[in-house]
Amino acid sequence: MTYAMYDSQLSPFAARCRMVIYAKGLDVAIKDMPGAIPPEEFVSLTPMHKVPTLTVGDAVIPESQVICEFLEREHPEPALTSSDNLVQAQIELACRICDLYVMAPLGQLFGQVNPQSRDDARVEALVGDLKKGLSWLDHYLGDGSYAIGNNMTLADCTIVPVLFFVQQLGPMLGHDDLLDDSAKVSKYFKAMQTEKHAQRVIGEMATSLKKWQKSQ
């Protein structure tokens, strides 16, 4: 089966898929967008016109979480899920909190980076929402080496790229490290930066962020 993934290195959604790919050692052709394919051809491939998008032969799979879960089912080793239903619920909950309550305000804050167009009141409200989401993630993180337990799971692949942006965004908005109020999350992210697959994804995102900043 031939895999290709249309990718943006700066996207935390694409990064979670890359982390799954790296953790499983999969042979996937990573095609950076824009540029890997003409826009009109990409639209015909996926009317959602979003990255990441995975192609499996002639089949097309959009949406990062769907891609990650597909790859997990197709390539169950090493496992990034759990056969224990309670543990799996914890993994899914961590992903859900990260997407709905951390990534949602984070995405809006990214639009406030430019000080010339920044709405300070809006920023403060969104930072409050972000910190609330981080506090919930802090509460539900496990006590093991990874987000849930002592092995990498889809929770880590989801959380790590998002926390990279959280840490980077604070200084851009005139704030200190936005992870400071969430001790367990902060400790977790610091430890994950030495994990080889997480380290690779963080390095890719950091390089891409520097390029983006120079272009602004």
Side-chain angles (χ1 to χ4, degrees):
M1 196 173 295
T2 302
Y3 295 126
M5 190 176 79
Y6 294 92
D7 177 69
S8 170
Q9 286 202 329
L10 192 55
S11 164
F13 297 106
R16 76 175 59 173
C17 296
R18 294 199 309 275
M19 196 159 158
V20 168
I21 289 165
Y22 300 156
K24 290 182 174 293
L26 300 180
D27 183 10
V28 179
I30 304 294
K31 301 187 176 185
D32 290 328
M33 295 291 292
I37 187 173
E40 61 276 10
E41 189 176 337
F42 191 50
V43 171
S44 68
L45 187 70
T46 169
M48 297 172 73
H49 202 197
K50 292 183 177 181
V51 293
T53 292
L54 181 74
T55 60
V56 185
D58 294 329
V60 179
I61 304 174
E63 288 297 311
S64 59
Q65 198 64 21
V66 177
I67 292 169
C68 291
E69 290 171 0
F70 167 80
L71 293 174
E72 175 68 8
R73 289 190 297 270
E74 286 291 300
H75 305 275
E77 297 297 334
L80 297 177
T81 53
S82 176
S83 59
D84 184 312
N85 287 336
L86 284 175
V87 174
Q88 182 58 26
Q90 290 177 298
I91 293 169
E92 293 171 4
L93 178 61
C95 292
R96 190 79 170 164
I97 290 172
C98 194
D99 278 344
L100 292 181
Y101 307 113
V102 180
M103 189 62 215
L106 183 64
Q108 295 182 65
L109 281 168
F110 198 69
Q112 298 285 336
V113 167
N114 187 345
Q116 303 302 317
S117 57
R118 184 178 302 157
D119 181 338
D120 289 334
R122 181 67 175 150
V123 167
E124 292 310 308
L126 288 168
V127 166
D129 290 342
L130 176 64
K131 288 188 174 183
K132 183 185 294 185
L134 286 168
S135 74
W136 295 342
L137 183 62
D138 198 84
H139 178 81
Y140 287 106
L141 275 184
D143 296 317
S145 305
Y146 290 87
I148 306 296
N150 291 312
N151 297 292
M152 181 178 286
T153 68
L154 293 180
D156 300 289
C157 299
T158 298
I159 294 169
V160 165
V162 173
L163 294 186
F164 167 80
F165 261 118
V166 172
Q167 191 173 67
Q168 295 295 315
L169 200 59
M172 294 183 194
L173 297 169
H175 280 261
D176 294 329
D177 190 342
L178 294 173
L179 296 177
D180 281 349
D181 293 339
S182 302
K184 190 186 289 186
V185 169
S186 182
K187 180 180 178 182
Y188 160 80
F189 185 57
K190 184 177 181 180
M192 286 302 292
Q193 290 177 61
T194 65
E195 198 284 331
K196 64 178 180 179
H197 305 305
Q199 190 177 64
R200 181 176 177 181
V201 164
I202 289 168
E204 291 168 347
M205 295 181 76
T207 298
S208 188
L209 180 60
K210 287 178 182 177
K211 290 179 181 178
W212 178 84
Q213 289 172 319
K214 288 179 179 178
S215 71
Q216 298 306 299

